[in-house]
Amino acid sequence: MIEVKVGLGYDVHKFEKGRKLILGGVEIPYDKGLAGHSDADVLIHALIDAILGAAGLGDIGEHFPDTEIAYKDIDSSLLLKKVLAIIENKFRVNNVDCIIVAQRPKLSPYKEQIRIKLSELLKIEKKRINVKAKTEEGLGFTGRQEGIKAYVIVSLEELGVDIKK
């Protein structure tokens, strides 16, 4: 019998001039990026939290604190790879479902690129990844174009090896 674990991730970052906008490891053309200690890839941060949650290993801040200079401006894809190394041989990512919430920029043209990039990073088939882009119809901080948030749910298949933090 296959043991399946599910994790939910959430992250939010405000916009900041002078930074690149990176979502799911893909650079999106826009006049501002997201503020953060790392590259502020809100989607990968939510994905990391979902994976860590499903594995019972805490959250992104415990593993990669924003007080640590080593993570300053780091590519979040590298953080994801570190998390995947932690769960390697213990869990396999089964599937991923993502929601990116942003009034602007319009993300529909980039959803497929993001799926491809996440497929490469997670080393799973693209068909196991779903990316949705939503607006909040002008409501809240995302609706006012102050930032972006992301939700991710992940299912992991347990490979039968006990892991410790």
Side-chain angles (χ1 to χ4, degrees):
M1 188 165 144
I2 296 173
E3 182 91 20
V4 176
K5 306 287 186 180
V6 177
L8 176 65
Y10 167 80
D11 197 32
V12 59
H13 287 275
K14 66 181 179 176
F15 282 123
E16 183 176 292
K17 292 257 185 213
R19 289 183 57 108
K20 293 179 181 180
L21 178 57
I22 311 292
L23 295 172
V26 174
E27 187 173 340
I28 309 294
Y30 197 55
D31 64 339
K32 6 178 186 187
L34 295 171
H37 185 68
S38 67
D39 66 0
D41 186 332
V42 69
L43 182 57
I44 287 187
H45 292 182
L47 175 58
I48 288 170
D49 263 352
I51 292 169
L52 290 171
L57 295 173
D59 63 44
I60 191 171
E62 293 174 47
H63 291 266
F64 311 108
D66 63 6
T67 54
E68 188 67 47
I69 193 68
Y71 305 125
K72 179 73 176 137
D73 297 323
I74 193 168
D75 178 339
S76 293
S77 297
L78 298 175
L79 302 179
L80 177 58
K81 287 178 183 179
K82 288 176 184 281
V83 168
L84 293 172
I86 292 169
I87 69 163
E88 186 179 38
N89 301 320
K90 297 139 189 110
F91 292 99
R92 179 181 83 81
V93 176
N94 182 48
N95 75 302
V96 176
D97 190 23
C98 310
I99 302 172
I100 308 167
V101 183
Q103 196 69 32
R104 294 268 185 263
K106 289 295 183 194
L107 298 174
S108 294
Y110 305 101
K111 291 189 318 183
E112 188 64 14
Q113 280 178 265
I114 292 169
R115 282 182 74 211
I116 291 167
K117 182 64 174 182
L118 292 179
S119 172
E120 292 168 2
L121 290 169
L122 295 169
K123 297 183 172 95
I124 63 173
E125 300 162 299
K126 186 177 73 167
K127 71 180 183 179
R128 295 179 176 270
I129 299 167
N130 190 50
V131 176
K132 298 177 286 242
K134 301 287 184 186
T135 70
E136 290 190 310
E137 303 296 327
L139 300 173
F141 80 94
T142 58
R144 292 188 301 271
Q145 301 176 42
E146 296 171 8
I148 296 178
K149 62 184 168 184
Y151 300 91
V152 176
I153 191 163
V154 168
S155 69
L156 301 180
E157 290 182 14
E158 196 166 18
L159 301 176
V161 179
D162 189 32
I163 63 172
K164 294 187 173 48
K165 208 168 183 181

